Amino acid sequence: MCVAATGTVIEVGDKTARVSFNGNEVIARSGLVDVTPGDKVLVHAGCILQKVSEDEAKEIESIMELLES
């Protein structure tokens, strides 16, 4: 099963971005999506798949919390 997670872009580099997942920061490839700091994004396997709205991010995070319990 593949799961993508939502995070917030902290910093943008050359085809990469530093993304925060509740304080845990990772470097993700951003070559396919134009991102800026503050954007909410969906990340899978170290690649940013797409930007999501604040509401979409909250909904995804709520669903993930339900699955964890």
Side-chain angles (χ1 to χ4, degrees):
M1 179 169 131
C2 298
V3 177
T6 57
T8 304
V9 175
I10 303 299
E11 181 180 34
V12 177
D14 184 36
K15 297 186 181 184
T16 63
R18 183 179 306 276
V19 180
S20 173
F21 300 92
N22 296 321
N24 295 315
E25 295 182 6
V26 300
I27 300 296
R29 294 195 159 284
S30 62
L32 300 175
V33 182
D34 185 28
V35 296
T36 58
D39 285 346
K40 292 288 190 177
V41 293
L42 194 59
V43 179
H44 172 67
C47 296
I48 297 174
L49 302 176
Q50 70 183 58
K51 289 193 258 185
V52 294
S53 70
E54 192 77 34
D55 289 339
E56 289 173 312
K58 288 178 184 176
E59 185 176 350
I60 292 167
E61 290 164 6
S62 293
I63 291 169
M64 295 305 287
E65 287 176 15
L66 286 173
L67 292 174
E68 290 175 2
S69 59

